[in-house]
Amino acid sequence: MSDTTDKAAPALPEGQEQDQDLGAAGSQLSTAPAEDAPNLPSLGVIGWARWFWRQLTSMRVALLLLLLLSLGAIPGSLIPQTGIDETKVAEFRRTHETLAPIYDKLGLFHVYSSVWFSAIYILLFVSLIGCIVPRTWQFVGQLRGRPPGAPRRLTRLPAYTTWRTEAAPEEVREAALALLKKRRFRAHRAGDAVAAEKGYLREVGNLAFHIALIVMLVAFAWGQLFKSEGNKLVVEGDGFSNTLTQYDDFKSGSLFSQDDLDPFSFSLKEFKGTYEATGPNRGTPRTYEADLTYSAGADGKEKKTTVKVNEPLEIGGSKVYLVSHGYAPVITVRDGKGNEVFHDAVPLLPLDGNVTSTGAIKVMDGYRDAKGEREQLGFQAFLLPTYVPGNELASQFPALLSPVMNVEAYHGDLGVDSGLPQSVYQLDKKNLKGFKDDKGAQLRKNLRPGETLTLPNGAGSITFEKEIKEWAGFQVARQPGSGWALAGALAAIFGLAGSLFIQRRRVWVRATTGDDGLTVVEMAGLGRSESAKVPEELGELAGILYDRAPGAAAPEDTGASSDTPDPQAVPAEGAEK
């Protein structure tokens, strides 16, 4: 992202003028485009357009758009969304008659497909592209070019060292060139100096980070537009076909169509669940898996597989996850003449970790009361997989150790013919009457497997069969672009790490003949930002080069000392520290 505050060269003390050559030497350490202050009175249409484009592709605007995108996602998380749960949206409209119309106008019930959220998203997308394209071409140009030549006055650079040697200038330059190339610098001869540069991976990481953001944005948008997610409860022995009518509930993206569903089907052969019997983790699942037979496509060959938690079945672009489990007791209902009017496994929904379950048994057709009149029956069921006498409210263990089902019996109109949707797990008791026992109280009874509750006045009976099936809840999810989003996230992490921890820096080595006939060696370094790494690295390079071109004796004391470079390459006087 373009940063309008970057400066290629270091700041100088007040009163000093920057060397003209230092500006060229310190340029292009970043690919951030230079920004000229606009002359507002004479901008014109094209000038204003260019100014707007520069603002849109600047760092501050991109950060602002990211902030707005984050803030825009908050109502999408707190307010019910039409694409996720229509029921909760309808309930919110009923309970908030004043807020609901305002939310409708603001698009808060469908945040991620609203005009304002899409506008922020697109602007951020354009901002990233407008930043990346020019920086990429500029960086390619830098790679094709050579590091700039040495400034006229190396003493003005942040890291500087010098010494005199008896080695010839050409020998020093050759040794410096070989040393810098060995240290993986891009180096070349430039007049009386060697110019070298290193740390291009910083800009590669920067560009990779921004490109990865674009990939993530595209993948996220693609996934939101074409995603689908549905849930299905399947009892042992039953099956599922991947069509919209087969789902218990289903939600999808705005551009999803039924043709996008992967053609497959599966059947639940057996659910296996075992639990810890003792210790502090008593009741915790040890095994939790479903044995399936499935086929992909219209004429696919049937295959067997086992679906476990976090080990989904993958078919095409869809993944089938195992998400829940419960019991489905087999129930038989007979009328007063002994005719069987209902026989099926009825799934009950778990209420706690010990699979204490509840549900409804509805006899909608085929039943006649003792007078021969058509009527409907309803039973409220409450199952305890492990019943302990004295505790009628909750199961003591999730396995079927001593199952007991409490049944309440009702008769009348279940409300299923009214055209209004209702839950298959709950009884609408508005038009139902409870059967009464001998004391005039609501008829209810605890049944063990194989036991029967006889309804009063010859109304029939209900039997809790010995067979208790199990059911498994599956989630079929189709999330296109998730692989690209993951790749983009990983690339963004590595790119950001590279741009933060790799420093782009330049080194110059100048060797010239001094007035006394000895060779004067000058070494200087410049980084894009202040860092101790440049002086340290320059000191290390200077130490190695000094070994190859040792310092000469001082003119006034030929046997005493010699010019020796500071191994830490302390910045020159007057330079930025």
Side-chain angles (χ1 to χ4, degrees):
M1 187 62 64
S2 59
D3 187 352
T4 56
T5 62
D6 282 349
K7 299 297 181 182
L12 294 175
E14 203 174 64
Q16 287 187 338
E17 295 183 358
Q18 186 175 4
D19 224 346
Q20 183 177 0
D21 291 339
L22 182 57
S27 66
Q28 296 183 345
L29 274 171
S30 164
T31 54
E35 181 174 344
D36 300 327
N39 187 4
L40 297 181
S42 60
L43 277 180
V45 177
I46 297 178
W48 276 108
R50 292 180 62 185
W51 178 84
F52 176 78
W53 177 253
R54 286 194 174 185
Q55 298 305 309
L56 181 61
T57 58
S58 66
M59 174 72 76
R60 56 182 175 270
V61 172
L63 292 176
L64 177 61
L65 291 172
L66 281 172
L67 176 62
L68 291 177
L69 198 68
S70 302
L71 294 177
I74 294 176
S77 303
L78 301 179
I79 300 174
Q81 300 294 294
T82 54
I84 297 177
D85 196 330
E86 294 281 357
T87 304
K88 287 187 177 180
V89 174
E91 182 181 351
F92 188 93
R93 294 181 191 275
R94 287 194 301 269
T95 56
H96 300 81
E97 296 181 357
T98 303
L99 282 177
I102 300 176
Y103 284 5
D104 274 324
K105 292 181 180 180
L106 296 177
L108 297 183
F109 289 123
H110 50 91
V111 169
Y112 303 112
S113 59
S114 63
V115 174
W116 57 270
F117 190 86
S118 300
I120 298 174
Y121 202 88
I122 292 174
L123 283 175
L124 178 60
F125 190 81
V126 173
S127 178
L128 289 172
I129 293 179
C131 172
I132 289 173
V133 172
R135 292 187 71 149
T136 300
W137 285 115
Q138 185 174 351
F139 184 59
V140 170
Q142 293 178 14
L143 291 178
R144 296 179 62 183
R146 289 184 170 187
R152 188 164 55 244
R153 297 172 60 187
L154 292 178
T155 56
R156 302 284 294 275
L157 296 182
Y160 172 83
T161 186
T162 182
W163 72 93
R164 295 180 304 124
T165 180
E166 295 180 353
E170 185 67 23
E171 295 178 4
V172 175
R173 288 191 286 266
E174 289 294 334
L177 183 62
L179 171 62
L180 292 171
K181 286 185 175 181
K182 185 177 180 181
R183 291 300 183 96
R184 298 189 301 277
F185 278 83
R186 293 181 63 213
H188 72 106
R189 293 276 298 272
D192 60 356
V194 174
E197 188 169 0
K198 191 177 183 181
Y200 289 91
L201 286 179
R202 176 189 180 93
E203 192 61 32
V204 172
N206 193 6
L207 294 175
F209 172 75
H210 289 86
I211 293 174
L213 287 182
I214 292 180
V215 172
M216 292 174 63
L217 288 174
V218 172
F220 176 77
W222 185 267
Q224 290 298 311
L225 292 173
F226 292 95
K227 72 174 183 180
S228 65
E229 183 180 296
N231 295 287
K232 178 64 177 178
L233 185 152
V234 183
V235 180
E236 288 177 330
D238 292 345
F240 166 79
S241 180
N242 193 27
T243 60
L244 289 180
T245 57
Q246 289 276 301
Y247 285 98
D248 296 332
D249 61 83
F250 186 84
K251 55 188 178 183
S252 62
S254 57
L255 297 183
F256 171 84
S257 67
Q258 187 171 351
D259 296 335
D260 294 328
L261 289 173
D262 295 309
F264 67 87
S265 60
F266 66 83
S267 298
L268 174 62
K269 296 303 179 183
E270 182 183 9
F271 178 86
K272 299 176 183 177
T274 61
Y275 308 90
E276 291 286 350
T278 58
N281 295 323
R282 184 176 185 272
T284 303
R286 296 183 60 186
T287 59
Y288 204 77
E289 58 190 39
D291 292 336
L292 306 180
T293 59
Y294 73 97
S295 61
D299 302 319
K301 184 180 179 181
E302 194 172 80
K303 302 177 182 179
K304 295 182 179 181
T305 187
T306 299
V307 178
K308 303 178 182 179
V309 177
N310 297 326
E311 296 183 18
L313 168 63
E314 297 188 28
I315 305 177
S318 301
K319 293 184 178 181
V320 182
Y321 294 90
L322 175 63
V323 294
S324 58
H325 156 258
Y327 296 108
V330 178
I331 304 298
T332 301
V333 179
R334 292 179 173 85
D335 61 14
K337 296 180 180 181
N339 298 319
E340 186 178 285
V341 294
F342 180 89
H343 179 81
D344 201 0
V346 181
L348 304 180
L349 298 183
L351 300 176
D352 55 30
N354 285 328
V355 201
T356 303
S357 306
T358 185
I361 303 166
K362 300 180 182 182
V363 182
M364 295 176 285
D365 300 308
Y367 173 76
R368 292 178 182 271
D369 61 13
K371 298 179 182 180
E373 297 181 0
R374 292 183 180 275
E375 199 174 25
Q376 295 176 332
L377 297 179
F379 301 90
Q380 189 71 50
F382 190 74
L383 176 68
L384 305 179
T386 300
Y387 169 68
V388 175
N391 189 342
E392 309 289 337
L393 299 178
S395 174
Q396 299 301 299
F397 196 72
L400 293 169
L401 300 183
S402 57
V404 168
M405 183 172 67
N406 181 273
V407 177
E408 294 181 9
Y410 299 85
H411 66 100
D413 183 8
L414 293 171
V416 295
D417 300 325
S418 63
L420 298 176
Q422 63 175 240
S423 172
V424 297
Y425 305 104
Q426 295 179 344
L427 282 180
D428 183 0
K429 301 178 183 178
K430 181 179 180 181
N431 298 314
L432 292 176
K433 296 180 180 179
F435 285 101
K436 305 299 181 179
D437 59 16
D438 297 337
K439 299 179 180 179
Q442 169 64 49
L443 179 63
R444 59 169 54 89
K445 184 179 181 180
N446 287 342
L447 300 178
R448 292 187 178 273
E451 294 183 348
T452 298
L453 169 63
T454 301
L455 303 177
N457 302 322
S461 64
I462 176 173
T463 301
F464 178 18
E465 302 290 351
K466 292 184 178 181
E467 181 184 10
I468 301 178
K469 295 185 177 182
E470 300 189 49
W471 60 260
F474 297 95
Q475 183 183 81
V476 182
R478 189 175 183 274
Q479 189 71 40
S482 57
W484 285 101
L486 176 60
L490 294 176
I493 292 173
F494 286 110
L496 183 62
S499 64
L500 291 176
F501 299 111
I502 298 176
Q503 184 179 16
R504 193 167 170 187
R505 62 270 191 200
R506 289 172 178 159
V507 172
W508 291 275
V509 181
R510 173 173 287 151
T512 56
T513 303
D515 295 337
D516 57 357
L518 296 177
T519 299
V520 178
V521 181
E522 292 181 287
M523 293 186 68
L526 176 65
R528 182 170 179 263
S529 58
E530 293 185 19
S531 172
K533 185 174 182 179
V534 174
E536 291 175 1
E537 187 174 34
L538 184 69
E540 182 181 356
L541 292 172
I544 298 175
L545 185 60
Y546 183 84
D547 292 338
R548 300 180 183 180
E556 66 277 8
D557 188 5
T558 57
S561 61
S562 61
D563 294 330
T564 304
D566 184 348
Q568 297 298 322
V570 178
E573 183 179 355
E576 180 184 343
K577 295 186 179 179

